[in-house]
Amino acid sequence: MTIQSSLSSLGLKLALLLSGTFVLSACDESVSTNLQLADQGVNPTYLVDESLSQANISNQALAVSHLSEAEQYLTTGEVYNPEAVIPPQCYTKTEGTNNPCYVCHQSYSAKELRPNAMNDGLIQGAYIFSDVGVTNSWKNLFVDRTELIKSISDEEIMEYVNQDNYGLLEEQMKSSSWTNNIPYIKDLELGQEAFDEDGLAKDGSHWVAYNYKPFPSTFWPTNGSTGDAMIRLGEAYRSINGEFSKDVYFANLALVEMAMKDIDSLSTSTIDENKVGIDLNNDGHLTQIKQIKKQSHYVGDASDKPLTKMLFPEQTELLHTVRYLGVDENGETVIPKRMKEVRYMHKHMLRSRESLLSSYYAERKEKHFEKLPRMVPAGDRGIANGYGWTINGLIEDKQGQLRPQHQQELAFCNGCHRSVGSTIDQTFSFARKVEGKDGWGYINLKSIKDVPSLGDKDGEFVTYLERVKGGDEFRQNQEMLAKWFTPNGKLNKEKVNALNNIHELITPSKERALKLNKAYRTIVAEQSYLFGRDVTLVEAKNVLKEVDESAVPINEAQRYVYDLRLNWEQ
């Protein structure tokens, strides 16, 4: 039995007295109310569990005394880090010139009419932290794991990484004791084998895998993890007259891609316009097509739903697995069976741009007055981000099996999927999908070149390495520094530009991969995710423990404009 399932009742009851926080009632009605309030930018009202008693809590408190420090926070309900929405990367020692901040913090012209109106580009030049946030709570960054990993052999970690810890979920999810809404894709542990040539899941679940360029640089394999991403649209977007239609589905997927990227046409796998009933390439005929033009509305049973600029339609689901670093017989990085996490987002409400503007205004106002961020529980659906999405996840327990994430652990997710200026509908990867037909299918880094960010000329990763002056935000990836930088710290652009694909640039050696896997395995054993999930081999040196808000993070000359969308034509 996992920590979450065996101790959740205790954690809820201890929460009131030990942390001074009211306990959210588990009833569906209360969860629904909280989602509605969160999406209106209103703090939810928490309901007290009247069954609490001091005697019961005193007795139950004894049950947590043997747990690790992080586990005790989860089971007692005491909040460890109220500012978990500030990612570890925001504590980077930038020295005024090393700028990893620009890929997240951006402000765009109002003329673009983006739904994302966070406009936080000024954060590149100022620390705007609460009194709580100025202290770095991600203390796993300061752990030297050199001695901790010595007892783990290469053979042991290789065997561990290649084990399947996902397939067991199929039966667990059928149990009445399973209280989590994360969907299951058959054979997902096998990666590409779970999908056909168009990316459509073979199990009939209608999930579709897409190939995308990983976001710089936490999601580069050289910094600790591999991963993949899938999308599923609501049933109406997959059907016509109540029946599933692949033609309708892939037409709508292309329309979603155009809406998210704000473009007018795309290539697609063959679509029969006769089955859709719409002239999708605007040539005046209903034929089989491989190019689709933007339409005003979606098609099929979703024909009454208009496209909304840079917003997914309601009921869109996104699934992302974070995995260890697999190593094949040639020493190359591959995606293994074992998963560190399964991350899931469900768009339960489509909010208009005007509605979202009010939430961004409220968010900026709260930050100005240094109010702590709201974390809105959503029952077995995880947490709500206040912008129409619920976020949920699974993570490894001590034995390496996947368990539901605690709400405190999920709060970490809102750091990127709530109010970051560069995101498109609070997401990253889909807007970075390889364009059109070529982007449908399981992730394949060897098929992707270092194309520029939209509006730039040089490759996006080359530009990032040059601006950060390192291969990760903390500039501590020694292998990247040795491979791609000169001894005086200058990026060897000619060497990087000569590469055939990004796989050659952002994957680690076998030696580094095994060390990173071992280091993360120690975090799993500790269950110390509250203290940070970033894999560091030694104590981080270029990271602040305390932030001096009078300091300037990035000098004005080193602040940059950035668009996470990509120019696939260059």
Side-chain angles (χ1 to χ4, degrees):
M1 185 177 292
T2 65
I3 294 170
Q4 175 78 6
S5 59
S6 64
L7 296 174
S8 59
S9 176
L10 168 60
L12 285 173
K13 292 185 177 183
L14 287 172
L16 178 64
L17 294 182
L18 295 184
S19 68
T21 303
F22 288 131
V23 179
L24 177 70
S25 168
C27 68
D28 289 340
E29 183 179 353
S30 297
V31 170
S32 178
T33 300
N34 275 298
L35 289 179
Q36 293 173 10
L37 290 172
D39 289 319
Q40 295 167 10
V42 179
N43 276 307
T45 301
Y46 295 103
L47 305 181
V48 179
D49 185 337
E50 300 294 347
S51 67
L52 287 167
S53 73
Q54 182 66 56
N56 284 339
I57 290 177
S58 297
N59 292 331
Q60 291 171 332
L62 295 174
V64 303
S65 60
H66 68 286
L67 300 176
S68 70
E69 182 184 4
E71 289 172 317
Q72 289 188 41
Y73 277 109
L74 300 184
T75 55
T76 64
E78 181 182 357
V79 177
Y80 166 68
N81 182 8
E83 283 282 19
V85 297
I86 303 176
Q89 290 73 20
C90 288
Y91 293 96
T92 299
K93 286 182 182 177
T94 59
E95 298 176 348
T97 59
N98 307 292
N99 185 358
C101 316
Y102 75 94
V103 295
C104 287
H105 301 298
Q106 286 294 321
S107 298
Y108 301 104
S109 169
K111 294 180 181 179
E112 292 190 42
L113 299 177
R114 290 188 179 225
N116 187 339
M118 192 63 207
N119 293 330
D120 61 354
L122 59 88
I123 290 179
Q124 292 186 48
Y127 288 113
I128 307 177
F129 288 1
S130 68
D131 289 343
V132 174
V134 295
T135 299
N136 186 350
S137 295
W138 305 108
K139 59 185 181 181
N140 272 347
L141 292 173
F142 306 106
V143 177
D144 186 332
R145 299 189 180 270
T146 306
E147 292 299 319
L148 294 173
I149 68 176
K150 279 185 177 179
S151 61
I152 307 174
S153 69
D154 290 352
E155 293 74 23
E156 180 183 352
I157 198 64
M158 287 280 285
E159 180 182 1
Y160 181 80
V161 166
N162 289 316
Q163 291 171 350
D164 170 26
N165 64 344
Y166 178 81
L168 298 172
L169 292 174
E170 186 172 18
E171 289 303 314
Q172 289 180 314
M173 288 180 174
K174 295 176 183 177
S175 168
S176 59
S177 63
W178 181 265
T179 55
N180 194 281
N181 73 330
I182 293 179
Y184 180 82
I185 302 176
K186 188 173 180 58
D187 297 328
L188 182 56
E189 70 276 8
L190 301 178
Q192 186 172 348
E193 294 182 38
F195 304 91
D196 67 17
E197 65 276 6
D198 293 319
L200 190 63
K202 295 177 181 177
D203 67 355
S205 63
H206 301 159
W207 280 98
V208 186
Y210 56 91
N211 192 17
Y212 63 99
K213 190 179 183 188
F215 192 70
S217 66
T218 297
F219 289 97
W220 292 354
T222 185
N223 291 322
S225 301
T226 57
D228 53 23
M230 287 70 62
I231 185 172
R232 180 167 64 181
L233 301 183
E235 187 174 355
Y237 299 83
R238 303 178 246 145
S239 309
I240 187 166
N241 298 323
E243 299 290 332
F244 174 73
S245 167
K246 185 175 179 180
D247 295 274
V248 166
Y249 194 15
F250 274 81
N252 280 329
L253 285 167
L255 292 172
V256 169
E257 184 175 348
M258 284 186 269
M260 292 295 289
K261 295 180 177 179
D262 194 27
I263 55 178
D264 294 325
S265 66
L266 277 177
S267 65
T268 179
S269 56
T270 302
I271 292 175
D272 189 341
E273 291 178 317
N274 291 286
K275 294 181 179 179
V276 179
I278 300 288
D279 177 15
L280 294 171
N281 65 352
N282 299 342
D283 70 349
H285 305 281
L286 297 183
T287 59
Q288 291 192 343
I289 62 169
K290 293 187 176 181
Q291 192 77 18
I292 184 171
K293 300 287 187 180
K294 183 186 283 187
Q295 307 293 311
S296 62
H297 287 68
Y298 291 100
V299 300
D301 291 345
S303 59
D304 61 332
K305 307 295 184 184
L307 273 66
T308 48
K309 179 177 177 177
M310 293 186 173
L311 291 174
F312 287 105
E314 190 171 328
Q315 301 305 325
T316 296
E317 299 170 272
L318 300 173
L319 198 66
H320 167 49
T321 73
V322 182
R323 309 198 190 195
Y324 285 81
L325 298 160
V327 181
D328 68 12
E329 61 275 7
N330 299 316
E332 287 195 346
T333 300
V334 295
I335 297 178
K337 291 181 179 179
R338 179 169 290 278
M339 301 178 189
K340 295 179 176 181
E341 298 182 55
V342 179
R343 299 175 176 177
Y344 174 62
M345 294 181 68
H346 174 229
K347 188 159 188 176
H348 63 269
M349 177 187 292
L350 173 62
R351 298 180 58 186
S352 67
R353 176 176 176 270
E354 291 71 25
S355 172
L356 290 168
L357 289 178
S358 66
S359 289
Y360 282 113
Y361 173 78
E363 182 88 5
R364 290 194 297 272
K365 185 177 179 180
E366 288 178 4
K367 288 183 182 297
H368 176 76
F369 288 105
E370 296 195 4
K371 290 186 177 181
L372 293 177
R374 293 174 289 113
M375 200 281 290
V376 183
D380 62 5
R381 286 173 279 179
I383 61 173
N385 73 351
Y387 292 86
W389 294 91
T390 51
I391 301 172
N392 213 344
L394 306 176
I395 202 163
E396 285 183 286
D397 65 15
K398 282 185 176 180
Q399 288 71 43
Q401 300 307 315
L402 292 168
R403 64 164 174 85
Q405 292 194 41
H406 189 279
Q407 287 174 350
Q408 280 200 61
E409 293 168 329
L410 288 172
F412 161 82
C413 306
N414 266 344
C416 293
H417 295 291
R418 179 170 171 175
S419 49
V420 172
S422 70
T423 58
I424 297 179
D425 202 356
Q426 281 66 55
T427 68
F428 294 87
S429 67
F430 191 77
R432 301 172 59 79
K433 172 188 168 292
V434 175
E435 206 142 277
K437 178 183 183 300
D438 293 340
W440 295 116
Y442 198 70
I443 188 168
N444 178 8
L445 299 182
K446 289 185 177 181
S447 70
I448 301 175
K449 293 185 178 295
D450 185 23
V451 295
S453 167
L454 208 61
D456 284 343
K457 294 181 179 180
D458 290 338
E460 179 196 33
F461 288 178
V462 168
T463 300
Y464 180 86
L465 294 171
E466 197 167 36
R467 290 174 176 176
V468 175
K469 301 182 181 66
D472 66 310
E473 293 90 347
F474 308 134
R475 308 187 303 286
Q476 67 181 29
N477 185 328
Q478 297 301 312
E479 186 169 273
M480 288 289 282
L481 291 170
K483 286 174 68 175
W484 310 116
F485 289 80
T486 64
N488 64 2
K490 185 177 181 180
L491 178 68
N492 189 333
K493 291 181 66 173
E494 183 178 355
K495 184 178 179 181
V496 175
N497 286 330
L499 298 175
N500 295 311
N501 54 67
I502 61 172
H503 185 275
E504 299 174 13
L505 177 63
I506 64 172
T507 55
S509 65
K510 178 179 179 179
E511 179 185 7
R512 177 171 171 80
L514 295 181
K515 286 182 178 179
L516 290 169
N517 286 338
K518 292 174 185 179
Y520 187 81
R521 182 68 182 94
T522 65
I523 294 175
V524 172
E526 299 165 350
Q527 291 290 285
S528 60
Y529 308 118
L530 283 184
F531 306 148
R533 309 175 197 188
D534 295 87
V535 186
T536 54
L537 299 177
V538 297
E539 180 179 353
K541 303 298 184 185
N542 294 321
V543 178
L544 300 168
K545 291 185 178 180
E546 294 285 336
V547 173
D548 177 2
E549 290 191 280
S550 67
V552 176
I554 304 296
N555 298 331
E556 189 170 356
Q558 280 76 41
R559 299 173 201 166
Y560 306 106
V561 175
Y562 168 79
D563 194 319
L564 63 74
R565 295 173 297 171
L566 301 158
N567 182 358
W568 294 102
E569 295 180 357
Q570 189 164 327

